[in-house]
Amino acid sequence: MYKNTNKQANAIAGWGYRLTTIKARKYAIENQLPFISLEDGFLRSVGLGLDGFSPLSLIADKLGIYYDARSPSELEKLIKDKNRLVLHLNDATEAIKLIIDNELTKYNHAPAFTGFSNEPHIQNKKVLVIDQTVGDMSVKYGGADQQTFFEMLDKAIKENPNATVYIKTHTDVINGYKKGFLTSNLDNTSVILFSDDINPISLLKHVDKVYVVTSHMGFEALLLGKEVITFGLPWYAGWGLTDD
């Protein structure tokens, strides 16, 4: 793929940390070329990628990748750029409002959540524990593993004795494509498994507190002003907005 080409490459690109990028990364190092990591954008598509929906946004990162806590990323560089923040503060504020008002998320196929009004524990404080899929690179490179999810659930239960604790199943698990860290190994009867395929932001609007490892739903919860407790090292942690 890289041999016998007449044109000199300026950079090598590959999809995140997939195994398919090993040779590409090696080639980039050997030829002193920058490697550009590609990933789905945070507002990816209308439906699931595994259902054939093409991405409408793409992340291209020459420094690292946002979910790898071991090294800097273009996103981290942007966050630290205070001058850019001042210049684009109004745009950012408007973007947040548009995201919340229209409940825009990574996959946008699921219906809106209408609330807990028909449940007897409606008056209880509602705590949401976010599960993720086994094999999620943001878990591995966010310093977490299977045990981290068990510890998160245990803490959520102990720290909120009078609350109703829900576990949110990942949409890829609901649709039968992958397994979850918690929802595929759940033996705890004191929590409620929330396995409806609904819009994440619409659900977050109805809860009081959110526990995450590295899930992007933690960032969406921050956009809504929710209390967020992280057990891994997601890109939005460590800035004073989350309880890490």
Side-chain angles (χ1 to χ4, degrees), residues 151-183:
E151 291 173 359
M152 172 177 65
L153 178 58
D154 182 62
K155 285 285 187 179
I157 295 170
K158 290 181 178 178
E159 293 176 356
N160 303 277
N162 298 317
T164 302
V165 178
Y166 299 87
I167 297 178
K168 174 64 178 73
T169 309
H170 192 280
T171 186
D172 283 340
V173 177
I174 295 169
N175 287 280
Y177 293 120
K178 298 181 181 180
K179 292 185 177 180
F181 283 101
L182 287 175
T183 50

Side-chain angles (χ1 to χ4, degrees), residues 41-229:
F42 292 160
L43 303 178
R44 184 196 184 276
S45 54
V46 174
L48 301 177
L50 292 170
D51 283 339
F53 286 86
S54 299
L56 302 176
S57 65
L58 192 68
I59 293 170
D61 196 318
K62 292 186 290 185
L63 288 179
I65 195 64
Y66 71 92
Y67 57 75
D68 186 355
R70 304 170 303 172
S71 60
S73 67
E74 294 277 6
L75 181 55
E76 182 179 331
K77 182 180 177 182
L78 287 171
I79 293 172
K80 289 182 176 180
D81 189 343
K82 294 182 180 179
N83 291 328
R84 181 185 293 271
L85 176 62
V86 172
L87 286 172
H88 298 282
L89 183 58
N90 290 337
D91 290 338
T93 302
E94 178 63 20
I96 291 172
K97 185 177 187 303
L98 287 169
I99 289 171
I100 292 173
D101 290 350
N102 294 283
E103 297 178 346
L104 301 177
T105 186
K106 184 174 182 179
Y107 304 115
N108 296 272
H109 64 290
F113 179 60
T114 57
F116 299 98
S117 58
N118 295 326
E119 300 181 23
H121 41 267
I122 180 61
Q123 300 302 325
N124 289 10
K125 183 177 182 180
K126 291 171 283 297
V127 173
L128 192 65
V129 177
I130 309 297
D131 195 15
Q132 291 174 249
T133 58
V134 175
D136 186 335
M137 289 295 183
S138 77
V139 175
K140 177 180 179 180
Y141 293 106
D145 55 21
Q146 174 82 70
Q147 187 59 33
T148 310
F149 284 85
F150 293 147
E151 291 173 359
M152 172 177 65
L153 178 58
D154 182 62
K155 285 285 187 179
I157 295 170
K158 290 181 178 178
E159 293 176 356
N160 303 277
N162 298 317
T164 302
V165 178
Y166 299 87
I167 297 178
K168 174 64 178 73
T169 309
H170 192 280
T171 186
D172 283 340
V173 177
I174 295 169
N175 287 280
Y177 293 120
K178 298 181 181 180
K179 292 185 177 180
F181 283 101
L182 287 175
T183 50
S184 298
N185 301 279
L186 188 63
D187 59 0
N188 194 310
T189 57
S190 64
V191 299
I192 296 175
L193 183 62
F194 194 97
S195 58
D196 293 341
D197 195 9
I198 47 84
N199 177 281
I201 293 181
S202 69
L203 173 61
L204 289 167
K205 288 179 177 179
H206 292 270
V207 302
D208 302 289
K209 193 173 181 181
V210 178
Y211 284 73
V212 299
V213 174
T214 59
S215 171
H216 186 68
M217 277 188 72
F219 174 63
E220 293 174 327
L222 288 178
L223 294 182
L224 291 165
K226 303 295 180 179
E227 182 180 0
V228 178
I229 297 89

